[in-house]
Structures are given as structure tokens and as C-alpha cells.
Amino acid sequence: MRIDFSPSRRSTIGAEWELALVDRRSGELASVAERILDAVRPDGADEHPKIKQELLLNTIEVISGVCTTVAEVKADLAESLDVVHKVTDPLGVELFSAGTHPFSNWYRQKVTDKARYAKLIDRTQWWGRQMLIYGVHVHVGLDHRDKVLPVLDALLNYAPHLQALSASSPYWGAEDTGYASNRALMFQQLPTAGLPFQFREWTELEHYVDDMFTTGVIDHFSEIRWDIRPAPHFGTIEMRVCDGLPTLEEVGAIAALTQCLVEDFSTRLDHGERLPTLPPWHVQENKWRAARYGTDAIIILDAGGRERLVTDDVTNLLEKLEPVARRLDCVAELRDVETILKYGPSYRRQRAVAKQHHGSLKAVVASLVAEMRDGIAR
């Protein structure tokens, strides 16, 4: 099977932000997506161009256009949020984004009436019904197909950094799981989700996809739901590691870090460098450590088994990437990663709120709603 990659303007960027819909009084998830999507749909259009449906009726997704800077991405997403709030506010519905809802039960949620979602649930059954999770996806443009797989492999070195910084799903079914990102381990239960295979040649990817079609595993390339994947029709590499991020500031920070990493790798490939990779078993272990321990994770740095606290490595990484950020005009947004380190990722903030309110997870939901409204986390 031939997979054509449509090259993009280098290091262009876009983001997809999954949002939970909750009842203002109870904090429970509200299955009202269809009503909201109908209200925001422009006259004569099938759907809003930047406000989309998702698997569950308690979820909508806002997406940016193709942007040059992270600031443009943030402005684009903020505009869509304003459109949604004008509809949800009178309905008594609030928005938040985190890897999971702290206490709503998965088995009470309604699935969007669409053939591809029905097929997913029919095939995956119990695990598919439990996909009560939310994430942020960042696309970064690549100008040549031959860069895609080396960049994907190199990004896997930093998947635990991104996962730790974005971790926001400590609770599941009203229980503290002990994990910073329960979503990370939930999502990989789907048959084509989880860590990507580390192919060396584009033809290997084509053979893999052909096998998936031949054996009926997928009907479309988009059904490969890896943590990091190529998006050939967009001409991007798509970073899907992150839990839902509660604030626009955090979305910008993660987007800037992703864009800078991809641009740095792209430049190094232009200079003939070989990008660093990790053995798959180290990649897998790093994912588990970041999901379990978040910013307290000790991650594996190389094939030799050197280890380091992930936050220490993030600090050095930010310093290294600052010249790249200047070229991409995202210095301020990259520095917002330091804000996440200062105040803690969402999983830490959620646990702090629960402790302050004697274990109240309703208070946790209220704090997530307030953070989205404010756009910043403090």
C-alpha cells in the first residue's frame, strides 16, 4: 500500500483540544454535545469548521487552523471557546479539560450516533466503553517525508517529559488511582493505540498499514491511534501523548515545546545528523514511569541506562531550545513550561484541591472549570 505524505510548510502548527461538558450544579458530565454543536453550526453548513463532535456526547473538540506561531494557535482556540461559552452558559453547562473526569461513571455515558463510533464500540466492547478520557493533540508540519519517522523516533525520547507535564488524570470513578496519568494506561487498551512501532523506513510503515487493512483491523489510517503518529494527509507529525490540559496557557506551553522539538530535529536532519533514539523497552518503561509518578518520575535517558529526574531534564531542555523558540517566535509560550513546573501539573493541583476540601471531588471539578475560565493555573 502506497501512503503519500503531503509535505507542509516547515514547523507550522495546529492543536486539537478535547473538552468535557459538565452540569454547573452537580459537576457531573452532561451528554449535550449535539445540542451545542447544532447551536454553533453556521447556517447552511454541516458543522462548525473548528468545533467538532467526539466519541461521547459529553465531549466536544475545538481545533485550530494551520498556524505559524503558538500565539496564533492560542488565539484561534480562545475564539472557539468564546463561541461555545455563549451557548453553554445559558444552559447551565460548564467546560473543563483533564485526562479524566474525577467521579462520573463511564457506563452512564452516551456514545455519539455515528457509524465509526458504533463500530469502535462494537469491536472493543468493555474497554471501548471506558474511553471516558480527554487529550490534547499537537500537529507540527514537516517539509519532507523522509523526516517523519526519524522525528517520530526522536520525539519518543521526550514523550515522558510531555506526559509528566500534562498529567491530569489521577482520579477514576471517584478513586485516586495513585497515577498521575491514568488516561495514558487506559487509552493504550484500544488495539491500535499506545506507543508507535519504531519503523526505520517508510516502506515498513506502508507494509504495516497494508497488513492492518488486509486483516480488517482498520478501515482508515486515522484509526491508528498511536501516542505519536504521522498524519500524512496533513503533512504533519501528530503528538497525542498529552492528557487534557485545563488551561489555554498550558496548551500553549505544550504546543511550544512540541513545535520547538520538531523544528530542532528537522534542522539537525538538514545538517546530516542522526537523531537519538531509545530502545523500545526503555520507551515503554518511561511511559509507565511518567504515567505513575508524573514530575517525580526518574526517566531513562539513553540505551546505556542513564537516568534522571524528568523535571531536571525538562529544565535543561528548555535552555537548549530557547534559540529555537526565538526563531519560531514562541519564547514566552515555551517559558510557560516553567510555570507548569512552578505550580505543578494538573494532577498535583487536583489532589491539592481535594485535600483542601476534605476529599471533595466536586470541588476538584469546580477548580478545573475555573481554571479553564481564567486561562491560567495558579
Side-chain angles (χ1 to χ4, degrees):
M1 174 177 288
R2 179 186 174 91
I3 301 174
D4 293 321
F5 183 83
S6 303
S8 289
R9 195 153 46 93
R10 178 176 170 144
S11 296
T12 47
I13 186 167
E16 304 166 359
W17 193 9
E18 294 172 351
L19 310 176
L21 306 167
V22 295
D23 179 82
R24 183 175 295 144
R25 291 186 177 181
S26 68
E28 288 277 4
L29 286 166
S31 295
V32 294
E34 289 178 333
R35 186 172 177 181
I36 293 164
L37 294 169
D38 284 344
V40 302
R41 184 175 63 242
D43 291 340
D46 291 334
E47 62 180 0
H48 192 284
K50 295 182 179 179
I51 304 170
K52 305 291 186 178
Q53 67 181 182
E54 265 295 332
L55 170 66
L56 298 175
L57 289 175
N58 59 46
T59 310
I60 60 171
E61 181 181 59
V62 293
I63 65 174
S64 76
V66 179
C67 301
T68 302
T69 67
V70 176
E72 293 173 17
V73 171
K74 291 175 66 177
D76 202 343
L77 294 174
E79 184 178 339
S80 293
L81 274 184
D82 288 343
V83 171
V84 174
H85 272 131
K86 287 176 182 176
V87 175
T88 56
D89 284 351
L91 297 176
V93 172
E94 297 286 357
L95 309 174
F96 81 77
S97 185
T100 56
H101 187 286
F103 60 84
S104 282
N105 291 314
W106 62 269
Y107 52 82
R108 294 180 179 172
Q109 309 311 315
K110 298 177 181 178
V111 177
T112 298
D113 185 13
K114 198 169 184 179
R116 68 188 180 102
Y117 296 137
K119 180 182 176 184
L120 172 66
I121 296 300
D122 181 63
R123 181 165 193 246
T124 58
Q125 292 293 308
W126 192 78
W127 279 114
R129 289 295 307 275
Q130 289 205 73
M131 291 298 116
L132 186 57
I133 55 177
Y134 308 88
V136 170
H137 305 161
V138 178
H139 289 262
V140 182
L142 288 170
D143 55 3
H144 200 284
R145 190 196 73 179
D146 290 347
K147 291 182 176 180
V148 175
L149 296 179
V151 167
L152 188 156
D153 279 359
L155 275 175
L156 285 172
N157 296 342
Y158 297 98
H161 304 63
L162 292 160
Q163 189 169 292
L165 290 166
S166 69
S168 62
S169 49
Y171 299 106
W172 179 256
E175 293 187 21
D176 191 326
T177 64
Y179 282 76
S181 174
N182 190 53
R183 169 192 169 273
L185 303 185
M186 289 289 300
F187 192 37
Q188 69 183 18
Q189 304 309 316
L190 294 182
T192 59
L195 291 168
F197 296 102
Q198 293 173 254
F199 299 121
R200 298 302 175 207
E201 301 290 339
W202 190 258
T203 53
E204 293 179 47
L205 173 65
E206 291 177 324
H207 288 315
Y208 165 80
V209 175
D210 186 51
D211 285 347
M212 295 299 100
F213 273 91
T214 300
T215 56
V217 177
I218 62 173
D219 293 321
H220 192 274
F221 188 93
S222 65
E223 294 172 8
I224 298 170
R225 299 177 175 92
W226 292 334
D227 295 344
I228 306 172
R229 69 180 180 185
H233 56 304
F234 290 140
T236 65
I237 193 83
E238 183 183 2
M239 192 285 296
R240 301 161 50 87
V241 170
C242 293
D243 278 9
L245 292 159
T247 70
L248 193 58
E249 180 182 57
E250 289 168 291
V251 172
I254 292 296
L257 180 55
T258 306
Q259 186 188 31
C260 287
L261 282 168
V262 174
E263 169 63 20
D264 181 52
F265 295 147
S266 188
T267 300
R268 290 161 67 179
L269 287 171
D270 287 341
H271 294 161
E273 289 188 38
R274 184 182 180 89
L275 299 181
T277 61
L278 276 173
W281 46 92
H282 287 347
V283 173
Q284 186 174 33
E285 174 64 14
N286 277 344
K287 176 177 180 175
W288 185 87
R289 292 185 186 188
R292 169 64 178 89
Y293 299 109
T295 48
D296 289 327
I298 306 294
I299 59 167
I300 304 166
L301 299 178
D302 55 34
R306 289 191 308 118
E307 297 174 295
R308 193 180 194 191
L309 180 66
V310 67
T311 49
D312 289 344
D313 211 50
V314 168
T315 299
N316 281 11
L317 180 62
L318 295 178
E319 183 178 345
K320 173 188 171 185
L321 291 175
E322 186 158 347
V324 182
R326 284 198 294 270
R327 294 201 306 271
L328 296 173
D329 194 20
C330 65
V331 171
E333 290 83 8
L334 186 65
R335 286 177 179 165
D336 283 336
V337 174
E338 296 174 351
T339 304
I340 299 176
L341 294 177
K342 179 178 179 181
Y343 293 99
S346 178
Y347 80 92
R348 287 185 176 274
R349 305 196 305 269
Q350 290 180 47
R351 284 178 172 148
V353 169
K355 183 177 180 180
Q356 182 182 354
H357 291 84
H358 310 290
S360 171
L361 297 185
K362 185 176 177 180
V364 172
V365 171
S367 72
L368 289 166
V369 167
E371 285 187 347
M372 174 156 287
R373 287 276 187 181
D374 295 342
I376 57 174
R378 295 292 184 269

